[in-house]
Amino acid sequence: MEPENHKTKAVNVLRSRICDPKFIFNNDNPDSNYSKLKFMISSSVTEACNNSILLLGPRGSGKNAVLELVIQDLLQEYPDSISVIRLNGLLHSDDISAFKEIARQLCMEHQLLFSKAASFDDNSQFMVAILKECGLAHKTVIFVLDEFDLFAQGKQRLLYSLLDAMQSIASQAVVLGISCRLDADQLLEKRVRSRFSHRKLLFLPPSMEDSQKLLMHMLTLPIDSSFPHDYAVEFNSKVQNIIEDRKFKETLERYLNVDSCVKHLLRFLFCAVSHMDLQTGFLCQENFEIAFSSIQRQPKLECLRNCSNLELHILVCMKRLEVKEQSLCNFNSVMKEYKSMHDSFRTSEYYSRNVCLRAFEHLMHREMICFTDNRGQSLSIEFRPVKLLISSAELYQGLRAYNSCPAYLLKLMDREG
Amino acid sequence: MDKDKTSQLPRRTTRSSTSSPTSTSNNVIAPKVNSLEPLTINDLLVGGDPISLDDIISDFPGRRSQILEIVRLLGPLNSPMLPLFVYGGSSTGKTSIILQLFRHLNRPLIYSSCRTCYNQGILFESILNQLFLHRKNAANAYANAKRCERPSDFVNFLREALTNVIINLKEKSEKLVSNKMTQGKIGNMIYLMFDNFHLVREWDKSSTIVPLLFNLYDMLKMPEVGLIFISSTSPDTFYSNMGYVEPIPIYFPDYTEGDIRQILLRNQVNPKLYSSFLDVALKSFYGITKQVGDLSAALKPLYEKYCEPLSDKGKGVAPNQEMRRRLLAHINPHIGPALNEIFKVSSPSSIEVETRKEEKRKGNPGRLEQCEELGSLDFHMSTSAKYLLISAFLASRNPATLDASLFDSKGGSDNRKRKRKPSEKSMERKETLEEELLMKGPGTFPLERLLAIFQCLVSVAEDEEEPNNDGFGVEGGNGGLMSDVLLQLSSLCNANFIFKGRSCPIEGSTRYRSTISEDLALKVARSLKFPLSKYLYRS
């Protein structure tokens, strides 16, 4: 193992920044969601009132991160007046496990013994009792419901009991829902919605300028004692040059046109930083180009390059059957088409049925074709109807790009006869 | 918080063990049980001798760029990582490369395969066992570290286990620093690896567990944990209604022809001879399949045939131009048939069968082998089972309307009277309809139809055999034959010759379907000397 020099340390620092959401979203701008959220929650803590807020935005736009930052700050400001309960829709969408989890976390907070055998009614009564106690002690309980739209499936008992418990004067609770569905509040039942204060914070993806500012913020090394001064200055100036370069701007714009959320940008940045050359110790344009090409992939075309000649033949046969509008497409009809193709084109290679069947199965494993019905288990593989999972445009493009593909396959795809 | 007690299963006692508790045999067994030591954090490493990166690159030909990319993405020691998604065709080296890389980097890894852990409970428990450094032995009645069925329990236990492991690792590395040792660093990070991840889509609760595992990194919020997913299908096959932040993809393409050459040339006794063989044979086989396993299995017998004309089977012989031409001429006629045998895995046959085959081959090669294959049936079935199988095949194959004319009292289809000759066009249409019917596959039939055909066939056979012997099943009359038949039917269903469908409440009885191919039916009929072709609809 080599001694950790400053270049490796630089890579480490950059990577940890990318994987640390708190660094990214630290924003003191009074207009930002961070400040708004902090104001809302702290006001409900200080004024001892109940509140419910929804944080909405596309996936990866930092809702959870901003919330964690706010909670961290509030825990420092009001150390004894806040307790946080975290639930996740993927894990706790059914009411029984949700209440169990709430009871477990409340027990952990208040150093009580948690019994796993407690029933649903016990847990819900416990929660109501604790809320009352906390209210009397002027302690706010913050419920964070991640993947809020998953809680809104089914009977919404948890949501109703939470919001209902908040209606009593004694309790002090804040319910925060986080969801990627912008219409999450439309999913609520009437009685739940009426108890919900319709406050929403929208987390929008950043604009192009904001993304560039974020890039600068992430990639600038700190000019302090942790790095040699010259190295850090040179590193930062190189980064500045790259970001202001026109070609880089075009690449970045192309990438962000697909999805401009922060997390998406961070994936790209992670790849680029990992490819940094440890010999020179500086980022360069090629790192970003490599990252761009390795993240944007075309899986079906790659898969086509992996197919052998026989598998390509089978795909082209299926395509021709589709063009001929044959209603039944199963292995037998594909073999018939293969035979007629072989007869009319006099190709040298004609393989037996067993070989073609195995190539057919390989195509199934690669997910280029699949069965049309899931229930037809009684028929053997030769009779079950199949369909193509690759569009004809992609198939054509893939065949053209493939160097060793026989030329007549392309001709066959064009012609209908 | 209450501690979760592992459930103690009540041990069953046999009469002998309760009667003689101090027998000497029990004492002998006892010491062996406790010989395994408890697991430590070092057991999470892949283990083995240290290996350098160049060794790995030379071990895996054609994978240099993928290896370097993975090393870069894993990063230096103690640097956090976004989840990785490694995908590529089967047997392209994904799992083995990553395991070797972890051996080189010497970092702790938790490996779990979604093939051996075939549902989510087992997957969770296997991961937790490894993280809690738990070993199943007789002392804890072979129980898991924690009983975990639900995802919510899993995440809680996982968090607990990971914090323990990370604290452990930190202490270890601090000890190393304080002792001023530079070797033996395993870092502060722990990596979880999910192999065969594409199988998770077919599990019972796949719609929740796939997004759960992809979102696990965000849920845990621990930068010291790295996740690696290995799958043989691309990430776009995992898309569902529930979203997640996509992991970073790493693609392993299939090997090119040159790479396969390099792989197959390793461990060869005579590389030059083998490479001249590959010049001849590889290209045509490569056109069928690109997978290394299939190719090496198929090329092996062909290579033995290639070396046949050389003395001493070609050991230590470097072929020159003339020898190459001679060998090429020898092997060329065999390549074609070998291509059609490519996916067959031949079992080693006994010596008698081999000698018999040799004699036959010397006599009349080619044609005789085919006849022999057609004629013999590999397994033994009773005569009534064979008749039942043929009746099932006929019932699936022929439409029900033809039964009356085919199975009349005379037996056979020769006595059908044609009312009038149908026109050309309707005959063509009828032919295409019949072909389509064949292509759709075997049809279903109810039990009564099967029994009717069976009775008819058996009576025909009995009529023919009557003068020779007593026939079979005559003793109990037809009643005795029927119960025998139902038993035979259920054993044929268990052997997957006949498929039994579910009973539909509207239609009434269950419907059956025959699953055997026409070749097998012909073989069975030939062994009975039954004229199957006469009864087939459009043979």
Side-chain angles (χ1 to χ4, degrees):
Chain A
M1 292 281 176
E2 19 198 78
E4 209 181 280
N5 56 6
H6 54 268
K7 296 176 189 154
T8 326
K9 207 165 134 193
V11 169
N12 267 353
V13 162
L14 291 177
R15 278 167 68 118
S16 349
R17 278 187 189 172
I18 295 174
C19 299
D20 178 17
K22 300 201 182 109
F23 183 83
I24 307 163
F25 294 103
N26 213 335
N27 197 345
D28 276 335
N29 191 343
D31 235 359
S32 70
N33 283 329
Y34 168 78
S35 327
K36 285 187 207 165
L37 188 60
K38 190 163 170 189
F39 175 70
M40 274 196 246
I41 302 184
S42 55
S43 63
S44 65
V45 169
T46 47
E47 289 166 23
C49 61
N50 294 308
N51 214 341
S52 48
I53 310 171
L54 269 185
L55 302 178
L56 302 173
R59 206 169 273 281
S61 28
K63 310 180 283 289
N64 244 321
V66 167
L67 183 61
E68 287 300 315
L69 277 176
V70 167
I71 288 182
Q72 223 179 29
D73 285 347
L74 288 178
L75 281 174
Q76 278 181 341
E77 282 180 41
Y78 313 100
D80 280 325
S81 342
I82 298 185
S83 59
V84 185
I85 310 286
R86 288 187 178 85
L87 294 174
N88 191 313
L90 277 173
L91 306 172
H92 310 122
S93 57
D94 65 314
D95 306 313
I96 301 180
S97 40
F99 274 104
K100 190 165 157 193
E101 182 66 20
I102 293 178
R104 189 188 75 89
Q105 292 195 19
L106 283 173
C107 286
M108 253 178 35
E109 282 262 350
H110 298 119
Q111 273 101 36
L112 298 169
L113 278 180
F114 172 68
S115 152
K116 287 210 171 151
S119 71
F120 172 75
D121 286 327
D122 290 340
N123 284 334
S124 60
Q125 280 171 7
F126 175 66
M127 181 187 88
V128 169
I130 288 271
L131 277 178
K132 219 173 4 173
E133 286 296 323
C134 283
L136 289 174
H138 292 292
K139 212 170 149 144
T140 313
V141 182
I142 301 184
F143 289 92
V144 176
L145 298 173
D146 214 350
E147 315 286 353
F148 186 72
D149 44 304
L150 292 179
F151 284 110
Q153 289 169 358
K155 282 207 188 149
Q156 304 182 7
R157 270 210 287 194
L158 169 71
L159 291 176
Y160 178 67
S161 27
L162 270 184
L163 291 173
D164 198 33
M166 275 171 36
Q167 299 288 36
S168 67
I169 304 176
S171 69
Q172 266 178 255
V174 179
V175 172
L176 289 156
I178 306 179
S179 173
C180 299
R181 284 183 67 160
L182 296 177
D183 62 340
D185 57 337
Q186 306 295 327
L187 297 169
L188 298 173
E189 276 178 13
K190 188 158 149 300
R191 59 177 185 167
V192 178
R193 203 178 323 152
S194 59
R195 289 174 170 73
F196 185 74
S197 76
H198 288 255
R199 288 195 204 190
K200 290 190 249 187
L201 269 183
L202 276 181
F203 283 75
L204 295 172
S207 62
M208 192 64 194
E209 293 83 29
D210 286 338
S211 308
Q212 281 184 328
K213 269 193 238 165
L214 180 65
L215 269 185
M216 273 308 299
H217 175 59
M218 302 282 298
L219 290 177
T220 313
L221 285 181
I223 312 233
D224 57 8
S225 57
S226 50
F227 289 102
H229 183 80
D230 306 329
Y231 170 70
V233 165
E234 199 181 341
F235 188 91
N236 294 343
S237 69
K238 279 214 160 100
V239 165
Q240 185 126 15
N241 286 341
I242 294 176
I243 291 183
E244 285 167 6
D245 180 44
R246 190 181 55 87
K247 217 162 91 116
F248 176 78
K249 280 192 190 164
E250 280 174 11
T251 314
L252 189 65
E253 202 171 320
R254 242 187 314 152
Y255 183 71
L256 290 178
N257 275 340
V258 173
D259 184 358
S260 46
C261 305
V262 179
K263 281 267 166 77
H264 202 61
L265 177 64
L266 288 179
R267 269 173 80 215
F268 171 62
L269 208 56
F270 184 80
C271 271
V273 166
S274 315
H275 279 104
M276 184 172 105
D277 190 1
L278 283 173
Q279 304 290 23
T280 59
F282 297 115
L283 280 173
C284 63
Q285 187 89 341
E286 277 99 41
N287 298 137
F288 290 93
E289 297 286 327
I290 295 177
F292 183 60
S293 61
S294 73
I295 284 207
Q296 303 274 66
R297 294 212 161 262
Q298 294 178 303
K300 285 280 186 289
L301 290 181
E302 285 172 345
C303 211
L304 263 187
R305 299 220 67 208
N306 274 345
C307 288
S308 62
N309 271 346
L310 177 59
E311 290 163 11
L312 289 177
H313 272 80
I314 293 182
L315 284 176
V316 170
C317 287
M318 284 188 68
K319 176 75 190 50
R320 281 166 63 89
L321 283 179
E322 206 179 282
V323 165
K324 283 186 197 170
E325 286 184 27
Q326 277 216 8
S327 55
L328 177 70
C329 182
N330 59 14
F331 179 66
N332 283 339
S333 48
V334 169
M335 285 310 295
K336 209 166 114 189
E337 181 69 26
Y338 180 56
K339 187 151 178 19
S340 71
M341 221 167 74
H342 173 72
D343 290 337
S344 49
F345 283 92
R346 299 267 152 246
T347 56
S348 58
E349 306 146 349
Y350 181 71
Y351 300 109
S352 72
R353 204 182 151 88
N354 289 338
V355 178
C356 292
L357 187 58
R358 279 305 291 260
F360 195 72
E361 281 177 3
H362 281 166
L363 280 175
M364 292 229 141
H365 287 152
R366 290 189 209 274
E367 307 252 331
M368 303 287 274
I369 59 183
C370 73
F371 292 126
T372 46
D373 57 344
N374 282 332
R375 293 174 296 111
Q377 294 288 340
S378 58
L379 288 171
S380 50
I381 190 175
E382 300 145 327
F383 300 111
R384 284 173 74 176
V386 293
K387 66 178 178 196
L388 272 177
L389 285 177
I390 179 173
S391 67
S392 49
E394 274 183 317
L395 186 59
Y396 193 66
Q397 192 186 355
L399 284 177
R400 280 180 72 145
Y402 195 175
N403 288 340
S404 50
C405 162
Y408 62 88
L409 274 184
L410 276 175
K411 273 192 280 189
L412 277 173
M413 281 223 32
D414 287 335
R415 261 194 276 170
E416 276 199 17
Chain B
M1 205 152 96
D2 287 354
K3 224 165 112 68
D4 189 18
K5 288 198 195 53
T6 58
S7 57
Q8 294 282 343
L9 298 167
R11 304 198 86 176
R12 293 200 336 228
T13 53
T14 59
R15 253 175 282 152
S16 65
S17 67
T18 46
S19 63
S20 56
T22 56
S23 64
T24 48
S25 57
N26 281 343
N27 289 337
V28 169
I29 300 173
K32 278 196 201 155
V33 168
N34 298 327
S35 59
L36 290 171
E37 289 150 7
L39 295 168
T40 66
I41 199 97
N42 279 334
D43 290 305
L44 291 180
L45 299 170
V46 173
D49 299 325
I51 184 174
S52 77
L53 196 60
D54 294 321
D55 284 341
I56 300 183
I57 294 182
S58 60
D59 275 342
F60 292 95
R63 290 285 176 231
R64 191 195 157 81
S65 57
Q66 281 84 32
I67 292 176
L68 290 177
E69 194 177 341
I70 295 182
V71 170
R72 289 213 180 99
L73 285 170
L74 286 175
L77 204 59
N78 297 338
S79 94
M81 181 183 88
L82 292 180
L84 299 181
F85 190 91
V86 179
Y87 69 101
S90 59
S91 72
T92 41
K94 310 180 285 287
T95 311
S96 29
I97 284 182
I98 293 190
L99 287 175
Q100 293 300 320
L101 277 177
F102 271 89
R103 182 175 150 200
H104 159 71
L105 292 170
N106 208 26
R107 297 184 199 175
L109 173 73
I110 305 280
Y111 175 87
S112 53
S113 162
C114 300
R115 196 185 288 275
T116 48
C117 306
Y118 49 87
N119 61 25
Q120 67 179 24
I122 300 182
L123 178 68
F124 294 159
E125 284 170 6
S126 146
I127 296 177
L128 289 173
N129 278 347
Q130 293 184 63
L131 278 174
F132 281 117
L133 302 173
H134 173 87
R135 197 197 283 276
K136 289 195 209 181
N137 51 23
N140 51 28
Y142 296 100
N144 290 316
K146 300 270 181 193
R147 195 165 173 279
C148 178
E149 285 286 336
R150 277 192 255 141
S152 50
D153 297 332
F154 173 61
V155 173
N156 289 336
F157 289 141
L158 187 66
R159 214 173 254 143
E160 188 190 322
L162 283 172
T163 17
N164 284 345
V165 167
I166 291 170
I167 292 175
N168 226 336
L169 286 171
K170 260 204 195 113
E171 281 173 6
K172 201 166 170 330
S173 57
E174 274 164 16
K175 231 192 288 180
L176 283 177
V177 166
S178 65
N179 290 346
K180 296 217 193 331
M181 298 202 312
T182 48
Q183 299 289 78
K185 278 199 210 160
I186 60 177
N188 296 343
M189 289 202 44
I190 180 142
Y191 299 87
L192 294 175
M193 186 159 133
F194 294 90
D195 202 359
N196 295 318
F197 197 63
H198 56 283
L199 294 173
V200 181
R201 294 173 300 155
E202 283 141 36
W203 287 0
D204 259 344
K205 302 191 187 116
S206 63
S207 55
T208 46
I209 189 155
V210 170
L212 173 74
L213 289 176
F214 275 129
N215 277 325
L216 196 60
Y217 183 71
D218 290 326
M219 261 195 253
L220 288 175
K221 296 193 181 80
M222 288 181 177
E224 293 101 350
V225 177
L227 291 177
I228 304 175
F229 300 97
I230 303 184
S231 152
S232 64
T233 54
S234 49
D236 60 331
T237 55
F238 287 88
Y239 291 161
S240 61
N241 282 337
M242 179 82 202
Y244 44 85
V245 179
E246 276 199 43
I248 298 181
I250 302 172
Y251 176 56
F252 274 64
D254 274 359
Y255 291 109
T256 63
E257 206 171 323
D259 292 333
I260 293 193
R261 257 188 108 94
Q262 254 186 306
I263 294 175
L264 291 175
L265 272 175
R266 296 162 67 147
N267 299 336
Q268 283 295 336
V269 176
N270 189 345
K272 289 211 179 74
L273 187 63
Y274 199 77
S275 93
S276 63
F277 163 67
L278 285 181
D279 287 335
V280 173
L282 185 60
K283 196 166 167 61
S284 29
F285 278 86
Y286 191 69
I288 301 183
T289 173
K290 290 190 180 181
Q291 294 190 0
V292 180
D294 293 333
L295 284 174
S296 68
L299 286 173
K300 193 156 160 312
L302 203 59
Y303 180 59
E304 281 167 20
K305 207 171 273 184
Y306 184 76
C307 297
E308 262 173 10
L310 293 175
S311 60
D312 195 19
K313 294 291 176 197
K315 286 203 183 80
V317 169
N320 53 11
Q321 200 65 9
E322 185 259 315
M323 191 188 294
R324 277 201 201 136
R325 243 178 291 140
R326 189 164 53 100
L327 291 170
L328 172 64
H330 169 76
I331 198 72
N332 247 339
H334 295 277
I335 291 187
L339 283 176
N340 278 331
E341 300 276 304
I342 181 171
F343 292 121
K344 273 206 194 133
V345 180
S346 54
S347 51
S349 43
S350 66
I351 304 185
E352 296 106 32
V353 176
E354 281 290 310
T355 48
R356 204 161 16 108
K357 271 206 184 132
E358 274 295 325
E359 288 167 9
K360 285 232 172 103
R361 202 181 296 150
K362 283 185 189 142
N364 193 1
R367 187 75 198 140
L368 201 58
E369 260 185 47
Q370 283 182 359
C371 283
E372 188 195 338
E373 257 193 48
L374 273 181
S376 64
L377 204 55
D378 287 343
F379 48 88
H380 177 76
M381 274 187 357
S382 64
T383 322
S384 65
K386 285 186 188 169
Y387 272 110
L388 196 60
L389 194 60
I390 296 180
S391 340
F393 178 71
L394 286 175
S396 269
R397 175 73 181 259
N398 300 340
T401 46
L402 277 183
D403 280 352
S405 49
L406 274 181
F407 299 110
D408 60 2
S409 49
K410 292 288 192 267
S413 60
D414 310 297
N415 302 336
R416 265 190 304 180
K417 288 200 200 106
R418 285 233 168 81
K419 298 273 171 63
R420 63 180 167 145
K421 209 165 178 336
S423 67
E424 274 291 331
K425 198 164 167 212
S426 69
M427 260 182 71
E428 261 182 38
R429 203 161 27 100
K430 206 164 141 220
E431 270 195 32
T432 44
L433 279 179
E434 288 165 1
E435 265 192 42
E436 268 208 40
L437 208 65
L438 272 187
M439 299 252 260
K440 275 215 186 107
T444 57
F445 51 86
L447 183 60
E448 295 84 22
R449 187 173 161 216
L450 172 69
L451 293 178
I453 298 181
F454 176 69
Q455 269 192 313
C456 172
L457 291 186
V458 158
S459 63
V460 165
E462 276 182 6
D463 288 338
E464 289 173 4
E465 283 187 17
E466 197 100 84
N468 295 339
N469 53 12
D470 288 327
F472 56 88
V474 174
E475 292 107 26
N478 274 343
L481 195 57
M482 270 313 131
S483 62
D484 197 24
V485 162
L486 291 178
L487 207 60
Q488 297 277 12
L489 181 62
S490 72
S491 49
L492 282 179
C493 285
N494 283 338
N496 276 339
F497 287 125
I498 300 182
F499 174 79
K500 180 172 170 178
R502 259 167 246 164
S503 64
C504 168
I506 301 179
E507 277 183 31
S509 58
T510 54
R511 291 187 80 89
Y512 296 82
R513 195 199 295 268
S514 144
T515 56
I516 61 175
S517 62
E518 193 171 331
D519 293 335
L520 186 60
L522 283 172
K523 274 195 212 174
V524 170
R526 194 160 299 147
S527 70
L528 284 175
K529 297 191 180 34
F530 179 80
L532 185 66
S533 41
K534 270 202 283 176
Y535 291 86
L536 278 181
Y537 174 64
R538 238 199 92 85
S539 52

